[in-house]
Amino acid sequence: PFTAFCFGHARGVTVKAIEYVALRSPLGVYGLLAMPIVTLTMEKTIYDTVQAAQGVDPNLRPADRGGFPSGGADLPSFSLVPVQKQSILSMFSQKHQ
C-alpha cells in the first residue's frame, strides 16, 4: 500500500484528488476537512487487515509496547478479514515444502 501511494503521488494523483475534492465535488472546500479522517481510516483498515492476515490480533497490545505510536489497539479494529489462526504466509511456505 505504501508503495502504491508513493507511485501515485509521483504520478500526481495526490494533487488530482485534492483538486477534485476542493473544486469539483459537491462538498467543495469543506471536503478537504474530511480528507484526513478518510485517509487515516484507510490506513488503519490496511494495517489491521494485514495484521489479522498474519495472525496478529490488532486489538491486543503487547506488554513491551505502549504509548505513542502504539495506541492503535485502543481503537476498534477495521480489519477486513478475521484474525487467522495461522499466518497466510506460513500456509504458502508449507505448501511449497
Side-chain angles (χ1 to χ4, degrees):
F2 183 70
T3 305
F5 169 78
C6 291
F7 181 77
H9 185 68
R11 299 281 182 181
V13 173
T14 306
V15 173
K16 290 177 186 174
I18 290 173
E19 285 177 352
Y20 176 79
V21 169
L23 303 175
R24 296 186 195 106
S25 79
L27 298 174
V29 177
Y30 299 108
L32 292 176
L33 297 175
M35 285 186 75
I37 295 167
V38 170
T39 56
L40 285 173
T41 302
M42 290 169 50
E43 179 183 0
K44 179 149 175 60
T45 301
I46 292 168
Y47 180 80
D48 288 354
T49 302
V50 169
Q51 291 294 305
Q54 292 176 350
V56 178
D57 188 350
N59 291 322
L60 298 178
R61 183 184 319 172
D64 61 341
R65 289 197 200 154
F68 184 81
S70 300
D74 296 335
L75 300 171
S77 174
F78 294 161
S79 177
L80 301 176
V81 297
V83 177
Q84 304 297 310
K85 294 182 194 239
Q86 183 178 5
S87 172
I88 291 175
L89 296 176
S90 66
M91 285 188 244
F92 286 121
S93 65
Q94 289 177 359
K95 288 181 182 179
H96 295 295
Q97 291 179 353

